[in-house]
């Protein structure tokens, strides 16, 4: 026995692998992914063992949170803490509360970084915690900030999603448009243009699944998109006169 806290990690996609890399040195990390035979970080175990850990992290896209919860529900220990890492919070937290056993402790998390933006390490990066009412996150905050060096922000799920509708959904939308334009590399440019290209490049490799999760599963994103396109159309009309 290592004496380290035992944590189960479900999902070894791009973010799951990043999480495993940074968590394994500090935890007894049990990892499971039906499509991955073994992991370079943590101990590859059965679904039952990973889902039965005192703390379970669902490193899966929001589109499959329900499936993942249904898969782990029979194995979740009494009073276990279950966290997700989806880019939106209202929907996955509602699903976790609906599907997981009564008494399961739930904290939604949103790491505001990914494999590309954290290529040089995660220290100094931000993470948002959205605990259910009454859930004490002091120990979790201490680990994330003190051990991993993250900047921890605590919020409720609705405030998180309203904030991310602008901070994330809008910026990803603009970056996606810039990427789809297929602009050629400029022989010289301005700093403002360079910053736009830099922003687009940060999300260029993001999957369509992640983009749709950010835009379609945040209940506040559609309003911000509508305002953006209305403002763009109005600007276009002004330029025609």
């Amino acid at each position: 026995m290592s004496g380290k806290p035992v944590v189960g990690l479900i999902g070894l996609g791009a973010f799951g692998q990043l999480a495993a890399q940074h968590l394994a040195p500090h935890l007894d990390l049990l990892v499971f992914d039906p499509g991955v035979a073994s992991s370079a970080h943590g101990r590859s175990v059965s679904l039952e063992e990973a889902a039965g850990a005192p703390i379970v992290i669902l490193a899966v896209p929001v589109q499959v949170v329900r499936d993942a919860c249904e898969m782990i529900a029979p194995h979740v220990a009494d009073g276990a803490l279950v966290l997700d890492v989806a880019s939106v919070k209202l929907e996955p937290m509602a699903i976790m509360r609906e599907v997981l056993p009564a008494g399961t402790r739930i904290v939604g998390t949103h790491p505001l970084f990914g494999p590309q933006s954290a290529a040089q390490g995660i220290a100094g990066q931000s993470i948002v915690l959205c605990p259910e009412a009454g859930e004490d996150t002091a120990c979790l905050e201490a680990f994330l900030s003190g051990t991993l060096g993250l900047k921890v922000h605590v919020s409720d799920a609705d405030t998180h999603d309203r904030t991310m509708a602008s901070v994330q959904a809008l910026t990803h939308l603009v970056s996606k448009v810039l990427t789809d334009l297929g602009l050629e590399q400029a022989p010289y440019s301005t700093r403002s243009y360079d910053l736009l290209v830099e922003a687009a490049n940060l999300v260029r490799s993001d999957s369509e699944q992640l983009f749709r999760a950010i835009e379609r599963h945040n209940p506040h994103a559609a309003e911000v998109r509508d305002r953006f396109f209305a403002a763009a159309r109005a600007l276009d009309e002004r330029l025609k006169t």
Side-chain angles (χ1 to χ4, degrees), residues 190-211:
T190 63
R191 179 56 178 156
S192 57
Y193 179 81
D194 292 341
L195 289 172
L196 284 174
V197 171
E198 182 180 344
N201 287 338
L202 281 174
V203 302
R204 185 183 300 274
S205 61
D206 287 351
S207 67
E208 182 70 13
Q209 186 180 46
L210 175 59
F211 179 67

Side-chain angles (χ1 to χ4, degrees), residues 98-176:
E98 174 190 348
V99 177
L100 297 179
T104 301
R105 299 158 54 211
I106 292 172
V107 175
T109 84
H110 182 190
L112 300 180
F113 56 90
Q116 186 166 351
S117 56
Q120 304 304 315
I122 64 172
Q125 300 280 0
S126 290
I127 186 170
V128 183
L129 304 183
C130 297
E132 283 196 324
E135 184 63 41
D136 185 359
T137 60
C139 289
L140 180 58
E141 292 176 54
F143 173 77
L144 294 172
S145 61
T147 303
L148 298 185
L150 296 174
K151 296 178 182 177
V152 180
H153 309 269
V154 180
S155 175
D156 63 272
D158 186 68
T159 298
H160 169 276
D161 283 5
R162 287 183 185 276
T163 302
M164 286 301 110
S166 297
V167 170
Q168 190 173 46
L170 180 59
T171 55
H172 276 65
L173 180 69
V174 173
S175 296
K176 181 71 169 174

Side-chain angles (χ1 to χ4, degrees), residues 1 4 22 40 43 47-48 60 72 74 78 83 91 125 179 192 201 207 210:
M1 297 295 290
K4 298 178 180 179
H22 291 281
R43 293 192 288 130
L47 169 66
E48 292 80 3
V60 301
I72 71 169
D78 292 342
L83 310 96
E91 181 179 331
Q125 300 280 0
T179 299
S192 57
N201 287 338
S207 67
L210 175 59

Side-chain angles (χ1 to χ4, degrees), residues 10 31-34 45-53 68 71-72 74-75:
I10 309 295
V31 298
F32 173 82
D33 187 308
V45 298
S46 66
L47 169 66
E48 292 80 3
E49 188 172 355
M71 184 174 66
I72 71 169
H75 314 294

Side-chain angles (χ1 to χ4, degrees), residues 42-105:
R43 293 192 288 130
S44 296
V45 298
S46 66
L47 169 66
E48 292 80 3
E49 188 172 355
I55 302 172
V56 180
I57 302 170
L58 296 177
V60 301
V62 64
Q63 293 94 330
V64 297
V65 165
R66 181 176 293 275
D67 292 340
C69 286
E70 291 175 347
M71 184 174 66
I72 71 169
H75 314 294
V76 172
D78 292 342
L81 172 63
V82 179
L83 310 96
D84 79 302
V85 298
S87 298
V88 296
K89 293 277 66 81
L90 284 167
E91 181 179 331
M93 290 183 68
I95 291 172
M96 287 191 289
R97 176 46 61 212
E98 174 190 348
V99 177
L100 297 179
T104 301
R105 299 158 54 211

